[in-house]
């Protein structure tokens, strides 16, 4: 699915998590965005550019949902606005409504990144509402996979510019992954972290330590940050 962000310096957020069209629409709405509508060649090119950072898969049924849907079994409209399609870029011999049930304009990766800044608690709830969970990082392999997923997004270096994980301090003491309750075995904290500055840094953010290098930092859970959801392990 493609999230469209209004009044933001990021026009599109791409999710590689495969969901139904209805779920994609709801997930975008819950994130304060909308499922993408493409009304001009300029927008078509912008979406294509946003997707260029992702591994391409050629062919039908390997794409990303838009808000385009067939209205009353007839012509297509952009569901987010209700407006008919004026500009379109359908492939040759499309739409063909194969099986008489292809009513939607059109994903298995592990992580979904949200650049919408929210407190840690809200990030946890939003992932749950989306059928996912706030990310836990239990190995170097997962650390690298999350870093790779973030590489497609504009990210500032330094503390407090990161993304929430499910890491949180348990009973004011050691950290656990809140999604599983398990203690941290693998860690990737930055130098001199966690430091619990102000005695209230109880959640873990995943941030860019230096170019192409990501580490962890403890941070005040009430502060706002983007967040990383992952497919549930259960």
């Amino acid at each position: 699915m493609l999230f469209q962000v209004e009044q933001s310096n990021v026009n599109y957020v791409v999710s590689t998590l495969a969901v139904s069209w209805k779920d994609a629409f709801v997930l975008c709405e819950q994130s304060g965005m909308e499922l993408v509508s493409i009304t001009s060649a300029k927008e078509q090119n912008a979406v294509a550019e946003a997707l260029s950072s992702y591994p391409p898969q050629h062919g039908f049924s390997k794409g990303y949902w838009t808000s385009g849907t067939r209205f009353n079994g007839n012509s297509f409209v952009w569901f987010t606005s209700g407006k008919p399609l004026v500009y379109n870029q359908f492939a040759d011999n499309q739409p063909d409504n194969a099986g008489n049930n292809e009513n939607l304009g059109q994903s298995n990766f592990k992580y979904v990144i949200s650049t919408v800044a929210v407190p840690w608690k809200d990030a946890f709830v939003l992932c749950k509402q989306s059928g996912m969970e706030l990310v836990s990082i239990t190995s170097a392999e997962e650390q690298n996979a999350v870093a790779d997923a973030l590489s497609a997004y504009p990210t500032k270096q330094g503390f407090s510019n990161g993304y929430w994980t499910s890491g949180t301090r348990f009973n004011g003491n050691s950290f656990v992954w809140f999604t599983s309750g398990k203690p941290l075995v693998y860690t990737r904290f930055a130098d001199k972290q966690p430091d619990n500055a102000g005695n209230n840094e109880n959640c873990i953010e995943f941030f860019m330590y230096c170019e192409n290098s990501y580490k962890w930092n403890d941070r005040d859970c009430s502060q706002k940050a983007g967040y990383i959801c992952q497919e549930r392990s259960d």
Side-chain angles (χ1 to χ4, degrees):
M1 57 184 157
L2 290 165
F3 295 58
Q4 187 169 11
V5 187
E6 294 185 345
Q7 297 178 339
S8 169
N9 58 357
V10 179
N11 289 320
Y12 303 102
V13 175
V14 179
S15 170
T16 54
L17 182 70
V19 297
S20 67
W21 181 88
K22 182 179 178 182
D23 287 350
F25 184 86
V26 171
L27 285 169
C28 289
E29 290 289 317
Q30 288 177 340
S31 300
M33 297 174 277
E34 59 184 24
L35 200 56
V36 72
S37 302
I38 302 172
T39 60
S40 67
K42 182 179 179 180
E43 290 180 352
Q44 169 80 10
N45 293 335
V47 170
E49 184 177 358
L51 282 172
S52 65
S53 300
Y54 294 81
Q57 297 188 65
H58 299 289
F60 298 143
S61 302
K62 294 181 179 179
Y64 296 79
W65 290 126
T66 72
S67 77
T69 187
R70 203 181 299 272
F71 182 66
N72 284 339
N74 198 352
S75 57
F76 281 92
V77 299
W78 295 115
F79 195 68
T80 50
S81 65
K83 294 180 179 179
L85 278 62
V86 178
Y87 169 85
N88 72 72
Q89 272 286 288
F90 281 111
D92 294 341
N93 301 318
Q94 296 298 320
D96 62 355
N97 198 17
N100 201 36
N101 66 351
E102 293 190 336
N103 297 317
L104 307 168
Q106 338 186 326
S107 3
N108 175 0
F109 208 73
K110 194 171 184 179
Y111 305 105
V112 174
I113 313 294
S114 174
T115 56
V116 179
V118 298
W120 181 88
K121 183 179 179 181
D122 290 355
F124 184 85
V125 171
L126 285 168
C127 288
K128 285 287 185 183
Q129 288 177 340
S130 301
M132 296 174 281
E133 59 187 21
L134 200 55
V135 72
S136 302
I137 302 170
T138 60
S139 67
E141 182 181 13
E142 290 180 353
Q143 170 79 13
N144 293 335
V146 173
D148 188 54
L150 276 174
S151 65
Y153 294 83
T155 305
K156 295 180 180 179
Q157 294 183 21
F159 299 145
S160 301
N161 289 318
Y163 295 79
W164 289 128
T165 72
S166 77
T168 188
R169 206 180 297 272
F170 182 66
N171 283 339
N173 198 352
S174 57
F175 282 95
V176 299
W177 296 116
F178 196 67
T179 50
S180 65
K182 294 180 179 179
L184 278 60
V185 178
Y186 169 85
T187 68
R188 188 70 171 152
F189 282 108
D191 296 341
K192 300 181 180 179
Q193 299 300 321
D195 63 354
N196 198 17
N199 202 35
N200 66 348
E201 293 189 334
N202 296 316
C203 293
I204 297 175
E205 68 169 343
F206 188 98
F207 77 103
M208 184 182 284
Y209 181 71
C210 59
E211 188 173 0
N212 298 321
S213 177
Y214 291 86
K215 292 191 177 183
W216 308 353
N217 171 51
D218 58 337
R219 186 174 172 187
D220 183 346
C221 306
S222 66
Q223 293 179 351
K224 293 182 178 181
Y227 56 96
I228 306 164
C229 300
Q230 68 181 154
E231 294 179 359
R232 289 185 181 177
S233 55
D234 53 11

